[in-house]
Amino acid sequence: MSVNIAIDGPAGAGKSTIAKAAAKAVGFIYVDTGALYRSIAYYAISKGTNVSDPQAVASLLPRITPELKFIDGSQHVFVNGEDVSDKIRTPEISMGASAVSAIPAVRDFLFDLQKKIASENNVIMDGRDIGTVVLPDADLKIFLTASAEERARRRHAELTEKGECVDFDSVLADVNQRDYNDSHREIAPLKQAEDAVLCDTTELDLGQATEKVIALINETTKTKGLDDK
């Protein structure tokens, strides 16, 4: 039986970075579900499709084959055979992902893929609704968060490091808008599962936050007798 760890939380909380590091530390496969939604947004935007038009986006789905491949221990995102791992990390694609994730047809399209990966592997899966919808019976659920200002600061630093010219206020506005969109959508809104452990990383650096998550995972696998699986 596979071991499933669900990590949910708002954009910029460090879910992907922390989940990836934790997965490597405990020997699990890391599944970035947000990347799957970004891949749909990327394809739609590349075709000039309005990502806020449910019917238009849904009509594209039969033409899209998203894949998560693990190459040299690192997750790569492919769309129809093209490695789009870097292309899906722009602010435009982030907002597009928020829009397409509210479309029921898109969620249904990706749901089976996520469940299949989790059923076949020991995984740490992160997203917005992993503990509430995708893996409601996960062995451990973590809700990872941080203040909007701290999340915007991290995102601004990341974009600046990549050479992009963005101002902090616009990044903060994007974070707040993304939070609103994710928590107010009708389908699977962002929220903490009742049995999830709250982990606020506002005052923690990356190393401290990662250690906290790894400790929670180790405690869970030991307590539930899953560490021998």
Side-chain angles (χ1 to χ4, degrees):
M1 181 182 292
S2 59
V3 181
N4 294 169
I5 309 298
I7 300 181
D8 292 307
K15 296 187 305 297
S16 297
T17 303
I18 292 171
K20 189 184 303 181
K24 184 176 182 179
V26 300
F28 285 17
I29 287 178
Y30 163 62
V31 182
D32 175 7
T33 61
L36 294 173
Y37 287 99
R38 285 172 180 267
S39 71
I40 303 298
Y42 168 78
Y43 185 86
I45 291 172
S46 71
K47 297 302 180 183
T49 302
N50 180 358
V51 292
S52 296
D53 184 335
Q55 291 186 332
V57 174
S59 71
L60 297 176
L61 297 179
R63 299 180 234 165
I64 307 174
T65 303
E67 295 177 278
L68 296 179
K69 296 182 180 180
F70 299 89
I71 303 173
D72 295 329
S74 177
Q75 176 186 268
H76 287 249
V77 185
F78 287 77
V79 174
N80 297 346
E82 176 191 4
D83 189 338
V84 298
S85 303
D86 293 329
K87 295 179 180 179
I88 62 174
R89 297 299 173 182
T90 67
E92 179 185 19
I93 300 302
S94 292
M95 293 304 291
S98 183
V100 302
S101 67
I103 300 174
V106 173
R107 303 198 72 81
D108 290 343
F109 179 72
L110 294 176
F111 182 78
D112 290 340
L113 175 59
Q114 296 170 38
K115 294 284 285 187
K116 184 175 186 295
I117 294 172
S119 69
E120 297 174 349
N121 303 277
N122 291 338
V123 302
I124 296 179
M125 187 176 292
D126 77 345
R128 302 289 187 279
D129 64 345
I130 308 305
T132 55
V133 177
V134 181
L135 300 177
D137 297 320
D139 299 289
L140 171 65
K141 302 176 187 178
I142 298 173
F143 192 82
L144 197 68
T145 190
S147 69
E149 290 75 17
E150 174 61 18
R151 288 183 283 126
R153 184 195 67 75
R154 295 172 184 173
R155 182 61 175 157
H156 181 264
E158 179 184 351
L159 292 172
T160 300
E161 187 175 329
K162 291 182 178 179
E164 298 185 32
C165 185
V166 292
D167 66 271
F168 176 81
D169 288 341
S170 65
V171 175
L172 178 58
D174 282 347
V175 167
N176 284 324
Q177 185 63 53
R178 184 84 186 269
D179 285 354
Y180 182 85
N181 292 348
D182 289 345
S183 60
H184 286 78
R185 67 192 184 201
E186 291 185 13
I187 305 298
L190 168 67
K191 64 179 180 179
Q192 180 179 341
E194 292 184 1
D195 54 347
V197 178
L198 177 64
C199 184
D200 191 322
T201 69
T202 302
E203 301 297 330
L204 302 178
D205 62 27
L206 181 59
Q208 292 171 326
T210 301
E211 288 177 4
K212 185 172 183 178
V213 168
I214 291 173
L216 288 170
I217 294 172
N218 287 336
E219 180 182 350
T220 297
T221 56
K222 183 177 181 179
T223 300
K224 296 192 174 185
L226 302 172
D227 47 342
D228 293 328
K229 292 182 180 180

